[in-house]
Amino acid sequence: MLIDDGVDALCVARLIAELNRAGAQVKLVAPQLSPVSSQLGGLLAPDHTVSQVSVEAFDAVCVPSGLFCAETLQLSDDALKFVQDAYNEGKTLAATGEGVQVLRALGMPVDGGDSIDEPEAGVIVGHGEHCTLSNFGRRIAKRLSREPYRTHRLS
């Protein structure tokens, strides 16, 4: 899960719980290894930095909600490269709430309605009030259980 200051810690906690329930192991990755402050003031400790870990170590990259988090991730060349590399490697990409802006910044087709959408194979985005975090987490887990890698690459 790609995080930075201003991340929605409740979103992160709910997604981790849902993914753990499905048997996934979630690691927090951030542009820096220092604790990340959530939008409500709590701290999250990243397991890795984007510059110290390869996307090859993961089956998916998820960008949770948090307005300031999405804005700062878009300003981080390392974070954007991490997401782009994950896409190029055929990893599943997921983003919810403001996290969708990070995928949009890379030119990915992520516009959608008030629900959970898969605008292309291996890209999952959650929009609006009809996208519950439990349903979103289950969608990611289902994608990983049946098809962990996409078959195409972005040039």
Side-chain angles (χ1 to χ4, degrees):
M1 197 165 299
L2 182 60
I3 63 170
D4 204 347
D5 288 331
V7 70
D8 181 340
L10 182 59
C11 176
V12 170
R14 286 185 176 170
L15 288 175
I16 288 174
E18 193 62 48
L19 291 167
N20 284 342
R21 221 179 341 270
Q25 295 178 359
V26 180
K27 299 293 182 185
L28 299 179
V29 179
Q32 69 286 337
L33 200 52
S34 58
V36 170
S37 60
S38 74
Q39 62 187 18
L40 296 177
L43 295 175
L44 298 172
D47 299 298
H48 307 283
T49 67
V50 291
S51 61
Q52 294 175 331
V53 70
S54 169
V55 296
E56 293 171 357
F58 304 101
D59 294 322
V61 172
C62 177
V63 185
S65 60
L67 181 58
F68 186 63
C69 174
E71 291 174 354
T72 56
L73 287 173
Q74 289 177 75
L75 296 174
S76 168
D77 291 338
D78 287 339
L80 291 175
K81 182 181 182 319
F82 186 77
V83 175
Q84 186 69 58
D85 288 350
Y87 184 85
N88 290 345
E89 289 293 322
K91 307 297 183 171
T92 295
L93 292 181
T96 187
E98 295 89 0
V100 174
Q101 294 174 17
V102 176
L103 303 186
R104 189 174 292 126
L106 292 168
M108 295 180 190
V110 294
D111 293 323
D114 187 18
S115 64
I116 300 171
D117 298 310
E118 284 193 56
E120 67 175 82
V123 178
I124 304 166
V125 293
H127 300 279
E129 65 184 46
H130 291 104
C131 169
T132 66
L133 292 173
S134 59
N135 286 340
F136 185 70
R138 281 193 295 271
R139 177 74 68 94
I140 297 167
K142 183 177 180 182
R143 163 63 61 189
L144 292 174
S145 70
R146 65 184 158 98
E147 183 184 340
Y149 301 96
R150 289 177 283 124
T151 56
H152 70 279
R153 299 193 187 282
L154 182 68
S155 58

